[in-house]
Amino acid sequence: MVSPARAAAFETVFRVFEQDAYADRALRTAVASLDQRDRAFAQRLAYGTIQRVRTLDYAIEQLGRRPVRKLDPPVRAALRLGAYELGFMQTPRHAAVNEAVELVRTAKLERAVAFTNAVLRRVADGIGTLLESLPEGALKHSYPDWVEEVWTRDFGREQALALMRAQNEAPETVVRLIRGEIEGEPTDIPGAYRVARVDEGALAEGRIWPQSRGSQLAGLVVGARTGERTLDLCAAPGGKATMLAGDVTAVDKHPGRARELEENAARLGAANVSVVCADALELPPELRDYDRALVDAPCSGLGVLASRPDLRWRAEPLPELQLALMGAAVDRVRTGGTIVYSVCTLNADENEAIIDASGLAPEPLGEEWPQIAHPKRPEFLLTRPDLHGTSGFFIARLRV
């Protein structure tokens, strides 16, 4: 019989790669009936398998001598899970092999049981040596080649490798304290606390909000004050919008996300936040003459790959959209106002290049936050997983 945690991990991996589901949503459904311990194991196994899938597929093909793409989808998912346990966890050999075999049997593919058993035994024999023999790079650390190429171009070879290693590690868990007290470690970002786990009770009561240090920094940099009006163009789920003082207009074009944004603002006591469901590029004409704007733009997400294991396989740069959003913000902010541009990516094409193309003058953020100033362009901020231990965020503040 398959353990409940492995069954949940199998369902998650299957849905991500065979049905294009998002990992966090697929996992949430799969573990709904499990206790906390099984949920944690299922997440570790599923997320690790999704994250390392390129390396795992290479090992299965080299040692199992069968193209992964030609396998039945349930067999493919079971082999990936088994290979991950054998290569990256301390699961005993017999347990990893037997559980994967049972997953195939449960999927009613009896004809593939012997095959799965044989392939995973060969993987068990050779995966350690194979992993050690791989040269440093995208295959060894399980990234698309283009990500390695972008990071090598922007940061150099050694720092690109450091970024790949860092974003294969479990990210820190950080929350923003809204009110009350918290059991956690204060960090270098005011109001941000590192915790062992998110207190679900405190979250439900609106006393905390899960939010990385990099994300919280972006909200702080806006500098919104009482008596001012701020426009947040891409606001859902509301972490940054609910940090801002004054009158805040929070925009999201998806009705479901806009409703979630309203609910989150109410839970966190952010009565100053008004939600508008609209396309940021086609705003109602009355939304204008703001003192400040926040453009937390959609991006490739190359700074948050540690917490979103499937993102590396679906990420794409979005410079045209980002530049259009900057233009929309310029149109709605008064002369002399400021725009904060933030993205959770580590890609100069979506970062420095967007600011340069906007034609706006950046304010010297590096003087305010010297410890996280961009190494090449100190007027910008750049948090990096390999250097700062948090998610990767690029942040610029610009004068209109």
Side-chain angles (χ1 to χ4, degrees), residues 155-351:
F155 304 109
R157 174 68 174 166
E158 289 307 311
Q159 292 183 67
L161 292 173
L163 280 169
M164 284 191 276
R165 295 188 196 103
Q167 296 216 78
N168 279 342
E169 298 297 324
E172 64 179 3
T173 302
V174 172
V175 299
R176 174 164 58 95
L177 180 62
I178 310 299
R179 58 182 177 273
E181 298 181 351
I182 189 173
E183 287 189 16
E185 173 192 357
T187 70
D188 55 342
I189 304 300
Y193 289 81
R194 191 177 294 109
V195 296
R197 63 178 183 84
V198 175
D199 183 333
E200 296 296 334
L203 176 61
E205 295 169 6
R207 293 187 282 115
I208 61 170
W209 183 255
Q211 191 173 359
S212 74
R213 286 185 285 145
S215 175
Q216 293 189 51
L217 177 62
L220 290 172
V221 166
V222 176
R225 302 186 184 100
T226 301
E228 294 182 334
R229 299 171 64 239
T230 300
L231 176 66
D232 186 346
L233 279 181
C234 308
K240 300 179 190 67
T242 54
M243 295 178 67
L244 307 177
D247 294 326
V248 179
T249 303
V251 177
D252 201 277
K253 73 175 183 178
H254 300 287
R257 287 171 59 82
R259 285 193 298 273
E260 180 188 11
L261 174 56
E262 283 186 320
E263 293 167 0
N264 291 337
R267 181 187 307 143
L268 299 180
N272 62 317
V273 175
S274 300
V275 176
V276 174
C277 183
D279 188 329
L281 302 180
E282 299 177 0
L283 291 175
E286 64 270 18
L287 300 184
R288 60 177 60 257
D289 298 323
Y290 285 88
D291 301 290
R292 302 174 188 269
L294 170 60
V295 180
D296 184 40
C299 66
S300 58
L302 301 188
V304 294
L305 299 182
S307 58
R308 296 183 57 188
D310 53 326
L311 184 57
R312 67 186 68 190
W313 310 121
R314 63 171 88 241
E316 59 176 330
L318 298 169
E320 294 84 4
L321 174 59
Q322 292 152 358
L323 194 55
L325 288 168
M326 285 292 289
V330 170
D331 288 343
R332 303 300 174 134
V333 172
R334 63 173 177 79
T335 301
T338 59
I339 297 172
V340 168
Y341 174 79
S342 71
V343 276
C344 57
T345 192
L346 304 166
N347 178 0
D349 297 334
E350 301 176 89
N351 295 351

Side-chain angles (χ1 to χ4, degrees), residues 42-63:
Q43 178 172 329
R44 181 186 175 197
L45 178 54
Y47 278 16
T49 300
I50 294 165
Q51 185 183 75
R52 297 277 189 174
V53 73
R54 182 180 180 186
T55 313
L56 298 174
D57 285 358
Y58 180 79
I60 291 166
E61 292 187 344
Q62 293 298 305
L63 300 170

